[in-house]
Amino acid sequence: MNFIPSYIKLLEPGELKTRAEIALEILKSCKSCPRNCEVNRTEDELGICCSGSLPIVSSYTSHFGEEPVLSGSRGAGNIFFGNCNLRCMFCQNFEISQNWKEEKKNEISFERLADIMIELQERNCHNIGLVSPTHFSAVILKSIYLATEKGLSLPIIYNTNGYDSVEMLKLYNGVIDIYLPDFKYGDNQSAKTYSNADDYFDHTKEAIKEMFNQVGDELVYEGNVVVRGLIIRHLVLPNGLADSEKIFQFIAEELSPNVHISLMSQ
C-alpha cells in the first residue's frame, strides 16, 4: 500500500484551506518566527528576513545531496527559498540567504509555487523538500493547499534552521510528515555571536518539541525512503562552539533516545 501524506486528509473537510487563511493573516503583524518583528508584510514592510508576502524561490531541483534515506534513488524534490531569519557566519547558501535585494527578483506567486511542487512530483521525486521555509511558513501553506487540489501526493519535508515559531508549526500539524530541523547551538551566546539570534537555543528546543509531538521518534519507510518522521541535523563546530553535548542531552532526556540524528562536521 502506498503511503498517503497527512495533508491529503485535510483537503476535503476544508481544513487545509482554513489553515492557509489563518497563516496568511499572521503576515499582517508578522510572527512567522521567534523574531516577532510584527511588521505588515502584506504592505511590503520588512523585518529581519527582508521578505514580503509572496514566496521567493531561488531554485528547485531533484536533489541527491540530502540524507540517503531522503534522497533515495530519484532525489528529493527540493525547493530552495531565498532570504533567511538567521545571519549565520558560516552559511553555505549565503548567496541566496543574505542577498535580499537580488532575491526579490525571484519572488513568485502562490500558484507558481504550487506548480513547482507538481512539476517535481512529475519528475518522479520521492518527496517535496521545503528548504529554509521558516520565514515563508505563513505563505507556503496556501501553495500546499493549491498543489493538493491539483493532485500533489508526495510527503513534504520541512527542512529548517530550527528557529521556528511553535504557533506556526501547530498550523502545520497534519500537513508535514517529515521534519528535518537543524539544531545549531546548545548555547544562546554562541547563537548570538555566530547567527545573530540571542535566544536560539530556547526557541529551538520548543520548536523541536512541537515537531516531535507531531511525528514522534519512529522513521516510517516506504521501500528505502523515509516517508514520515523526525531527523535532527547537528553541525559540530570547532572548539566546542556548538555545545553539542548539551543538545544531545536535551534530545535524549526531553524527546527520546530513539530520535534520529544526522551528525555533520566542518
Side-chain angles (χ1 to χ4, degrees), residues 238-254:
N239 302 317
L241 293 175
D243 208 344
S244 303
E245 186 175 342
K246 189 174 179 180
I247 290 173
F248 300 148
Q249 182 177 5
F250 162 78
I251 293 171
E253 295 180 358
E254 298 192 45

Side-chain angles (χ1 to χ4, degrees), residues 11 110-112 114-115 118 121-122 144-153:
L11 180 63
F110 300 109
E111 291 78 12
R112 175 59 185 145
D115 288 342
I118 296 297
Q121 178 170 276
E122 290 173 348
I144 292 175
Y145 161 66
L146 295 173
T148 306
E149 282 197 315
K150 295 181 177 183
L152 184 68
S153 59

